[in-house]
Amino acid sequence: MTCFVTVGTTLFEDLINKVLSEESLRNLKKIGVKKIRLQIGKGNFENEVVHRVFKGVTSDEGYTNVEGLEIDYYRFKPSISEDMAEAFIVIGHAGAGTCLEVLALHLPFITVTNEKLMDNHQAELAVQLSDEGYLLHCTPSTLAETIVKEDLFSLRQFSAPSKKFVAEHIKQLVGIKNV
Amino acid sequence: MFFFFFVVVAVLLFGVLCLTAFMAFQVRHSNHSAKIKPKREKASLCAVLGSGGHTTEMLDLIKHFGDEFDERTYIIADTDTISEEKVRDIMSVLCPIVLLFKAVAHEKSRNNEKFCIERIPRSREVGQSYITSIASTFHATVFAVKLIYRIRPDLVLLNGPGTCIPVALAAAFFDIIRLHDTVIIYEESICRVRKLSLSGAILYYLGMVDCLIVQWPGLKKLYPRATYIHDLEFKPTSASESNSPITSDDKKSI
């Protein structure tokens, strides 16, 4: 029962700090999470989190155990697909690539928008997808309450539109004989 | 006096000629006119690859094309101006290269030796101001015209990066002067939900694309001439195989 948290290549300290806040940890345990794996990107943990969760030591990667929750983190990996596939829920930044990758795996997914980024057009996709009920969407300050929303486990399954028909249409426009 | 009058008339006539040619181009390429085209078996393809996400989406489309597109050209934006900041962010440098290798691997897996990769200068860096980007777009257009003149593609696939504008202009130019028939397709990224990207909007309002594919219904409402991707699924086509359901392979390979 792993919860995978990813910020992609962006700097998003609010997300990694809020996931490790007392309230979020409590709520994650409530829904059955036993292990949290964080991909923290360029960001760093807050002092409060460093002391409470990691007992004062953090570096580029590490491991700790808090009240029965295993937590490990790293900055970057060439491919986070395996970590994603192993997870039971995913919490991530609202980047389009991340959204589509997680939705292709049909996992319960919470996207968190960075309020500090002005004109974040990547978040458009996340908002649209959450309006249609494929994922949950929140901001760092509402993360803890979103985790315990019951919709999380009854999300619709998303399949990206197949490009096969587009290819057929294009062939028709070019005037290629259908063999 | 006579000379002045002559010049004015010449300019006016030239303007009318250009306008007529452009309107004829738009009629030939409008999405709704019935197309009577000579059927053929082979065509050449030219795809513009942009940064990370754009390339992924483009390759996702190209993998559905078979041997009918035997000559393929991939155009990538030249990244000779890698800034210091970008060097530090190793991911942003590696990603385009990785995707390029993906494109090459895709072609190699089809045993297709007839493909090539061309580079053209970027028309607009992320964050560049609009005024200086006009100058660099002009520079890129000259390059693109030379390139398109050399490869003469039957199909140009575009999906978003700024580099696609000069390529579209060049391809349209050779079509306007009736040198070569080119079908120009623009596919908007799935990330665009409420508004077309700048490149998409330019091509839409100039009427330069044969088909502008959008992936969300909101965009179709805002830009009625665009084609909504889900409408294509249920479109009765002349061929029988287009009715076959989406296989699970199709979905997984995303």
Side-chain angles (χ1 to χ4, degrees), chain B residues 4 7 9 70 108 120 175 178 211 227 231 237 251:
Chain B
F4 175 74
V7 167
V9 171
D70 56 345
K108 285 267 154 63
I120 75 169
D175 196 296
R178 308 303 298 126
C211 180
T227 310
D231 291 345
T237 47
K251 282 183 188 166

Side-chain angles (χ1 to χ4, degrees), chain B residues 131-192:
Chain B
I131 297 161
T132 53
S133 68
I134 290 174
S136 50
T137 303
F138 181 75
H139 176 59
T141 310
V142 174
F143 248 82
V145 168
K146 281 189 211 155
L147 189 64
I148 297 288
Y149 182 73
R150 189 151 45 84
I151 52 187
R152 307 229 181 142
D154 297 314
L155 169 65
V156 175
L157 287 176
L158 313 163
N159 77 340
T163 318
C164 73
I165 296 279
V167 176
L169 285 172
F173 174 71
F174 287 118
D175 196 296
I176 287 172
I177 62 170
R178 308 303 298 126
L179 198 69
H180 193 89
D181 274 323
T182 307
V183 176
I184 305 170
I185 308 281
Y186 184 90
E187 192 199 22
E188 191 55 276
S189 158
I190 195 164
C191 314
R192 294 295 176 158

